Amino acid sequence: MLRNVVTAFAVLLLCIPASAGTLVWENAFADEADISGATVDAATTGDVQVDITTAVVSDQDNGGPGPDQSPFSTNPLYFKAEHATTGNHAGYGFLGFDNTADDPADYLEIRLGFSTPVGGLTFSLLDIDQRSQLGTRDFIDAVIVTYNDGPNVLSNPAFYSLGPNVQVGDEGLGEFEGVAHIADGEATFNGSTDSNIDFDFGTTNVSSVTIRYFTTDDAPANPSGQLMGISDLVWTVVPEPATASLLLAGVIGLAAARRRP
């Protein structure tokens, strides 16, 4: 009888499909919309809620009257949704700033928290590059990516794949940084994936992803704004252990009922 119960339970679990979810920025937000503190509900993603929290951290060691960090160009927002294209991906979460001090202690940070842990999570960071003008590096993009409010993805190389214009950085912070491949200009343009980082967490359950974006101190100056993007996110959600326990209890109950006279 026990063997029959276990077999029935296994068959029942196989009959419960994993749900699929996506965060498509242009579906969740209007173009140029502020995403700071936003919530994307389960009806929009397809299965789980995504909570977006952001932070702008900046000291004041550049000698000026205000913080070193300011928004990108004339744009008033550090974080927003974009319907345009960068890194050969249409529609993305935008992070942008202008840091006058080239200081890694100044950064933008965004956390994407899932209301239920997800598996099979995939996404890309777009346009992590470097700009050189006449052989002088004006800025170098850098990002640190952690998950589940702790581990750095660098601890598991299976989680990421670097484009040819991205490398592991030398700041000692567990960061990736952009690489310039031409003497004058940016390493990548909107139609290229060369400066993207692709992430695939496989079977690891992920409850949150945090991205910290800054400029390295290897560049001598930062005369203009820097930007990067976050592509659409795709994931699956498998039945939770509590759900599986309830199903097992139900199967056992049915089996017991059949044995009663």
Side-chain angles (χ1 to χ4, degrees):
M1 174 62 70
L2 180 60
R3 180 183 300 175
N4 292 339
V5 169
V6 172
T7 301
F9 177 60
V11 171
L12 191 57
L13 284 181
L14 290 174
C15 293
I16 304 176
S19 61
T22 58
L23 171 53
V24 180
W25 297 97
E26 59 268 39
N27 292 346
F29 299 97
D31 192 22
E32 306 291 324
D34 187 357
I35 61 175
S36 300
T39 294
V40 184
D41 60 30
T44 301
T45 68
D47 56 8
V48 303
Q49 177 176 298
V50 181
D51 296 312
I52 303 172
T53 54
T54 61
V56 180
V57 177
S58 183
D59 53 29
Q60 192 174 337
D61 57 13
N62 64 353
D68 298 348
Q69 198 108 284
S70 60
F72 176 88
S73 187
T74 58
N75 173 55
L77 300 174
Y78 289 103
F79 307 90
K80 62 178 180 176
E82 272 284 359
H83 290 195
T85 298
T86 196
N88 202 35
H89 184 86
Y92 57 95
F94 167 99
L95 285 71
F97 66 87
D98 184 4
N99 186 343
T100 60
D102 278 348
D103 183 359
D106 306 325
Y107 58 85
L108 305 184
E109 192 165 270
I110 184 169
R111 180 185 184 274
L112 306 173
F114 302 98
S115 58
T116 298
V118 300
L121 177 64
T122 61
F123 65 94
S124 298
L125 297 187
L126 313 170
D127 199 15
I128 309 301
D129 62 0
Q130 175 186 137
R131 186 171 68 187
S132 296
Q133 297 290 348
L134 302 177
T136 301
R137 292 178 297 184
D138 294 312
F139 68 73
I140 304 175
D141 285 340
V143 291
I144 299 171
V145 182
T146 58
Y147 63 100
N148 295 347
D149 294 320
N152 190 313
V153 295
L154 280 177
S155 65
N156 193 336
F159 286 165
Y160 63 87
S161 176
L162 304 180
N165 293 329
V166 187
Q167 64 183 12
V168 175
D170 60 3
E171 299 285 343
L173 302 173
E175 82 281 3
F176 304 103
E177 68 177 29
V179 179
H181 74 294
I182 48 179
D184 187 7
E186 292 182 89
T188 192
F189 298 95
N190 290 345
S192 171
T193 61
D194 287 352
S195 290
N196 293 355
I197 310 173
D198 299 325
F199 295 89
D200 186 341
F201 288 85
T203 58
T204 299
N205 284 339
V206 178
S207 57
S208 67
V209 173
T210 302
I211 300 158
R212 179 175 295 189
Y213 180 43
F214 58 97
T215 180
T216 79
D217 61 9
D218 295 331
N222 182 20
S224 62
Q226 296 172 238
L227 66 87
M228 61 159 287
I230 306 171
S231 76
D232 301 336
L233 286 78
V234 180
W235 62 81
T236 58
V237 176
V238 297
E240 297 182 5
T243 302
S245 298
L246 288 173
L247 290 171
L248 178 58
V251 171
I252 293 174
L254 288 173
R258 290 188 61 184
R259 295 185 61 184
R260 295 193 187 103

